[in-house]
Amino acid sequence: MRLADDITCAELVELVTDYLDGGLAPELAERFEEHLVICDGCSTHIEQMEETIRVTGSLCEDDLDPEVADRLLAAFRGWNQAGAQ
Amino acid sequence: MKTYKFLCGGGIAPFTGARWPEPQSGKPGQWVEAAAVEPCRQGVHACALEDLPYWLQDELWEIELDGDVQRVGHKLVARRGRLIRHVDAWDGGTAREFSDDCVARTAEIAARTRGLEGHAADAVANATAGRAAVTGFIASRVAELDGGVDAYEAERSRQAAWLAERLRLGA
């Protein structure tokens, strides 16, 4: 894609969730996919995200050990606080 | 208008991971249908001859699209499509020839423009690694750095013409 249309790898990472949800505007999604064609690193990142979603998507709340659930919740609370700084 | 689709090895769509039904006994593959046409979300995606350099993958197929065909950027999207024929001329050897052509083009531009020498080396490295799509991109980017946006488009058109001639494809 032309310089003006370039998506950097860092920008692509920020857009991954929207892309996988089908939430990107068509023009942006096309630039996203053009980047994937020429970037092995980002293609691998997408594959890993899709695999993560596939695996974790099969988990139910009841599948989690309560202790693990508590640790995860604590981690997310800590992440949220860190992001607010 | 003839339309084309690049797939990964084994007939796998590069972005969805779906396996495409291949033609059998000289008959087209089964129709692949989408519930709706929403570019880059739903629908059967393909491209025209002039778009080929943007989407290079392992396999190239001629595809028949049916219904309203929309264009978004460098792709086409339709409600349904089916594979017509495998373009046998596009293989590892031809991909390397394409890469070598792009390396030569990059070197030609880099030789006359200060500061682009590194791109020539990048093109060689990617061609050697079998990354035809990246090598084509580098040639286009170098053309743009040398001559602006129009030069980028012109280089992509030159690459499409190279593919059309080498693979004997029609528009």
Side-chain angles (χ1 to χ4, degrees):
Chain A
M1 70 205 80
R2 300 169 304 180
L3 269 173
D5 297 331
D6 253 350
I7 291 179
T8 66
C9 297
E11 288 169 339
L12 184 139
V13 168
E14 294 292 321
L15 295 170
V16 165
T17 305
D18 284 342
Y19 172 75
L20 294 175
D21 286 344
L24 294 184
E27 293 77 10
L28 184 54
E30 201 233 357
R31 288 160 54 196
F32 187 102
E33 291 180 345
E34 276 193 36
H35 181 100
L36 291 180
V37 171
I38 59 169
C39 185
D40 290 347
C42 285
S43 294
T44 300
H45 178 67
I46 291 282
E47 288 169 11
Q48 290 172 339
M49 288 291 287
E50 288 175 327
E51 182 65 8
T52 301
I53 290 167
R54 190 186 66 76
V55 172
T56 57
S58 62
L59 282 176
C60 299
E61 193 173 344
D62 292 343
D63 293 337
L64 282 180
D65 182 295
E67 187 181 333
V68 173
D70 287 344
R71 280 166 42 202
L72 280 172
L73 286 170
F76 280 120
R77 288 191 191 103
W79 166 77
N80 192 31
Q81 288 165 359
Q85 288 174 357
Chain B
M1 177 178 70
K2 286 189 175 177
T3 51
Y4 300 92
K5 188 170 183 66
F6 275 107
L7 296 173
C8 300
I12 304 294
F15 304 120
T16 64
R19 183 183 296 275
W20 272 76
E22 298 184 2
Q24 300 283 344
S25 306
K27 294 181 179 176
Q30 293 177 343
W31 287 104
V32 173
E33 296 202 34
V37 175
E38 288 184 79
C40 300
R41 293 178 188 161
Q42 293 190 81
V44 171
H45 293 80
C47 70
L49 190 65
E50 64 266 28
D51 305 317
L52 289 175
Y54 295 91
W55 305 113
L56 301 181
Q57 294 288 349
D58 304 327
E59 299 179 1
L60 177 59
W61 294 81
E62 190 177 325
I63 184 173
E64 179 183 359
L65 300 177
D66 189 43
D68 180 36
V69 179
Q70 299 180 27
R71 169 174 280 280
V72 174
H74 302 112
K75 23 167 108 163
L76 304 169
V77 57
R79 181 73 176 269
R80 67 176 190 159
R82 60 181 178 176
L83 299 180
I84 299 297
R85 74 174 180 99
H86 181 254
V87 179
D88 296 335
W90 177 252
D91 58 15
T94 317
R96 182 57 202 251
E97 285 179 41
F98 174 82
S99 293
D100 289 343
D101 181 74
C102 292
V103 165
R105 180 74 179 133
T106 304
E108 176 191 331
I109 298 170
R112 68 172 186 244
T113 309
R114 186 184 296 269
L116 298 181
E117 301 84 359
H119 294 281
D122 284 346
V124 171
N126 279 283
T128 304
R131 299 190 184 104
V134 182
T135 314
F137 171 72
I138 292 170
S140 306
R141 173 52 49 82
V142 166
E144 181 178 13
L145 292 170
D146 178 54
V149 171
D150 288 347
Y152 178 97
E153 304 289 355
E155 172 56 22
R156 284 303 202 185
S157 296
R158 191 196 67 79
Q159 292 172 15
W162 188 98
L163 290 167
E165 182 179 348
R166 182 66 180 78
L167 304 176
R168 299 184 178 187
L169 302 177

